[in-house]
Amino acid sequence: MPQMGFVEQLGIGALMTIQVAVLSYLLALAIGTVFALATLKRRLPVDVIWQTYASIFTGVPSLLVAFLFYYAGSGMIASLFSLVGLSVTVDVSPFAAAVAALGMVYGAYLADIIRSAIQNVPPGQFEAARVLLVPRPTAWLFVILPQVLRLALPAMTNMWIVVLKDTALISLIGLKEIMAYAKLASGVTKEPFIYYMLASVFFLGMTALTYVVSQRIEQWTQRGYRPVAAKERAHAL
């Protein structure tokens, strides 16, 4: 039987895992949205920045990025401030390194998802908003973005699950999340099956909750949407 003290620690670790996953995903969503909007039109400086960013963060494992941010983050921040003549010392915590690493890695993937969704919005939606003289911010907020959410929701849901599962790697930089406590409990009690099974139940429960919430959001985004059925070609008699 699992000891209640370790079960409580698993609960604390689960809360830490959720915090890291949520903040990382929000950061990735912000980065992805900015790059998606910036790369809709081909501009050389933006393309160079985007290609460099995407090549680095999609080509390097997220765990390695977390190691770099944790062990070299203080030096990188100090170097950036030294360019403007400031001397700043910043200690990068495992939590900050984990959020920054996962956010920047999966921001590159979300940028492609969001940009593809925007490009798949029918051009007539943009033209109708322009003809009706709808202000551009209003058109994007109330006309375009709801359709983008509907189109991108399945891929964004899958990306959230990937981010959630990748938090299990972050224990290697010293963050006390659920996998770190599961490893500690299994080492002390010599019952690894029980505690790793409890960690598995947590991830399965979060995945199931994700699908339930995503279905509710999908139903909300489908309100008023009536897909036009394609007319099939008549068969020759």
Side-chain angles (χ1 to χ4, degrees), residues 70-221:
Y70 180 58
Y71 292 109
S74 299
M76 289 188 292
I77 295 174
S79 298
L80 290 175
F81 278 102
S82 65
L83 295 177
V84 294
L86 297 177
S87 178
V88 177
T89 302
V90 178
D91 292 328
V92 178
S93 66
F95 182 87
V99 171
L102 293 177
M104 297 192 72
V105 167
Y106 290 104
Y109 294 101
L110 282 173
D112 284 331
I113 292 172
I114 296 171
R115 183 174 58 253
S116 298
I118 295 173
Q119 292 172 342
N120 281 313
V121 173
Q125 301 293 316
F126 297 91
E127 296 171 1
R130 192 180 305 113
V131 169
L132 294 174
L133 300 180
V134 179
R136 190 177 181 86
T138 303
W140 273 95
L141 184 61
F142 295 103
V143 179
I144 305 303
L145 288 184
Q147 299 182 69
V148 171
L149 178 60
R150 175 175 56 81
L151 295 170
L153 184 60
M156 291 174 62
T157 300
N158 291 335
M159 194 57 59
W160 156 253
I161 294 175
V162 173
V163 172
L164 178 65
K165 291 191 294 184
D166 257 15
T167 57
L169 302 174
I170 304 303
S171 61
L172 296 177
I173 62 173
L175 186 66
K176 295 300 182 181
E177 44 76 64
I178 189 169
M179 291 304 299
Y181 282 117
K183 182 179 180 181
L184 175 63
S186 62
V188 173
T189 63
K190 307 303 180 183
E191 296 178 340
F193 177 79
I194 294 177
Y195 292 100
Y196 285 127
M197 182 59 68
L198 290 175
S200 300
V201 170
F202 163 76
F203 283 105
L204 289 173
M206 289 296 298
T207 302
L209 179 61
T210 297
Y211 283 125
V212 171
V213 174
S214 66
Q215 287 178 354
R216 296 293 181 87
I217 297 175
E218 185 175 0
Q219 291 174 359
W220 177 77
T221 59

Side-chain angles (χ1 to χ4, degrees), residues 26-104:
L26 291 177
L27 176 60
L29 189 60
I31 293 174
T33 302
V34 169
F35 273 114
L37 295 175
T39 54
L40 283 175
K41 295 182 179 179
R42 306 290 296 183
R43 291 184 291 268
L44 183 59
V46 176
D47 282 347
V48 170
I49 295 173
W50 161 244
Q51 292 296 337
T52 304
Y53 172 83
S55 299
I56 293 174
F57 287 101
T58 59
V60 179
S62 55
L63 179 59
L64 181 55
V65 176
F67 278 135
L68 292 174
F69 283 176
Y70 180 58
Y71 292 109
S74 299
M76 289 188 292
I77 295 174
S79 298
L80 290 175
F81 278 102
S82 65
L83 295 177
V84 294
L86 297 177
S87 178
V88 177
T89 302
V90 178
D91 292 328
V92 178
S93 66
F95 182 87
V99 171
L102 293 177
M104 297 192 72

